[in-house]
Amino acid sequence: AQTVTQSQPEMSVQEAETVTLSCTYDTSENNYYLFWYKQPPSRQMILVIRQEAYKQQNATENRFSVNFQKAAKSFSLKISDSQLGDTAMYFCAFIPGRDDKIIFGKGTRLHILP
Amino acid sequence: GAVVSQHPSWVICKSGTSVKIECRSLDFQATTMFWYRQFPKQSLMLMATSNEGSKATYEQGVEKDKFLINHASLTLSTLTVTSAHPEDSSFYICSAPDQTSGSRETQYFGPGTRLLVL
């Protein structure tokens, strides 16, 4: 079965600190796509960052970066210089290469404290 | 990025009535759209895959006669909750991949529809 596991249900950090959200996944596919989505209190799902499994280089988007370890099937998200607006639920997700359905983890609720 | 809209953003209805939710891709065409249901503080649960010009594909445990899906054009999919009951109250979200873009697997999400059945 293809699954996504987020082991941290909830986290809190002070503003301006760096925080890392964990994600592991399980798949037998060799090609797939990984994502982190953010869902703020408005509940709009927002794409934070994406990674193609065949690319070794870790994706970065401004303050957001990932640590992609393909052999370990790990895909953690690092948020640098955290801001109050980063408070949200964060979902790790992936799409197996031959499919178009997205598989979500259960999410990590992140609180950025002033 | 691509934009997906949903209408209405929230709806309150009486038990036994039917409710239609629209999902539109505003600046791209989507042959496939997805419908999810999300309970408070939980993840998104895929309900069905909407296919333009053909029948929707439902996930196991989702009643196809209860949740009718129509994908009549390349920019519009509708979800109709038939004979709604209080247990159908939830947050419904749609998504669509922009298959004409360089990242055809990336899905863009609508803002969601809150349904409350009294």
Side-chain angles (χ1 to χ4, degrees), chain B residues 47-101:
Chain B
M47 297 175 66
T49 303
S50 175
N51 304 298
E52 189 270 334
S54 64
K55 292 182 179 179
T57 306
Y58 291 82
E59 295 300 302
Q60 191 172 10
V62 178
E63 299 176 62
K64 58 182 67 177
D65 294 330
K66 174 75 171 176
F67 300 99
L68 299 179
I69 291 173
N70 187 319
H71 196 147
S73 77
L74 287 171
T75 59
L76 174 64
S77 174
T78 59
L79 168 68
T80 301
V81 183
T82 62
S83 186
H85 291 284
E87 57 265 30
D88 299 322
S89 298
S90 192
F91 190 65
Y92 293 87
I93 307 175
C94 70
S95 73
D98 182 0
Q99 293 168 326
T100 61
S101 74

Side-chain angles (χ1 to χ4, degrees), chain A residues 7-72:
Chain A
S7 59
Q8 304 148 312
E10 197 158 358
M11 298 180 72
S12 296
V13 296
Q14 294 293 135
E15 190 177 8
E17 289 186 347
T18 294
V19 60
T20 299
L21 280 60
S22 302
C23 173
T24 58
Y25 57 92
D26 189 23
T27 181
S28 58
E29 300 286 339
N30 188 50
N31 189 29
Y32 46 88
Y33 304 89
L34 295 156
F35 308 88
W36 278 96
Y37 280 92
K38 167 185 177 181
Q39 189 179 41
S42 68
R43 302 187 80 172
Q44 169 75 61
M45 294 286 284
I46 301 167
L47 176 66
V48 175
I49 201 164
R50 62 186 287 273
Q51 172 87 40
E52 293 146 346
Y54 64 86
K55 289 187 176 179
Q56 292 185 334
Q57 186 172 5
N58 288 324
T60 62
E61 286 289 343
N62 301 313
R63 298 183 295 109
F64 299 88
S65 62
V66 297
N67 182 0
F68 174 45
Q69 302 289 328
K70 190 172 184 179

Side-chain angles (χ1 to χ4, degrees), chain B:
Chain B
V3 179
V4 175
S5 70
Q6 273 184 251
H7 179 81
S9 56
W10 61 270
V11 57
I12 302 174
C13 69
K14 292 182 179 179
S15 185
T17 60
S18 294
V19 175
K20 180 184 285 187
I21 303 170
E22 293 184 346
C23 177
R24 292 181 186 274
S25 55
L26 296 186
D27 49 1
F28 67 99
Q29 294 182 331
T31 56
T32 303
M33 292 183 174
F34 300 91
W35 286 97
Y36 304 84
R37 186 172 179 176
Q38 186 181 32
F39 292 105
K41 298 187 178 182
Q42 293 189 23
S43 189
L44 281 69
M45 180 188 79
L46 180 65
M47 297 175 66
T49 303
S50 175
N51 304 298
E52 189 270 334
S54 64
K55 292 182 179 179
T57 306
Y58 291 82
E59 295 300 302
Q60 191 172 10
V62 178
E63 299 176 62
K64 58 182 67 177
D65 294 330
K66 174 75 171 176
F67 300 99
L68 299 179
I69 291 173
N70 187 319
H71 196 147
S73 77
L74 287 171
T75 59
L76 174 64
S77 174
T78 59
L79 168 68
T80 301
V81 183
T82 62
S83 186
H85 291 284
E87 57 265 30
D88 299 322
S89 298
S90 192
F91 190 65
Y92 293 87
I93 307 175
C94 70
S95 73
D98 182 0
Q99 293 168 326
T100 61
S101 74
S103 58
R104 60 190 303 276
E105 72 292 333
T106 300
Q107 292 195 23
Y108 298 92
F109 288 80
T113 297
R114 298 174 192 270
L115 171 63
L116 176 61
V117 185
L118 302 176

Side-chain angles (χ1 to χ4, degrees), chain A residues 56-89:
Chain A
Q56 292 185 334
Q57 186 172 5
N58 288 324
T60 62
E61 286 289 343
N62 301 313
R63 298 183 295 109
F64 299 88
S65 62
V66 297
N67 182 0
F68 174 45
Q69 302 289 328
K70 190 172 184 179
K73 296 182 181 175
S74 171
F75 183 62
S76 61
L77 174 70
K78 185 171 82 171
I79 305 174
S80 303
D81 186 27
S82 57
Q83 300 175 0
L84 297 178
D86 296 334
T87 292
M89 189 74 143

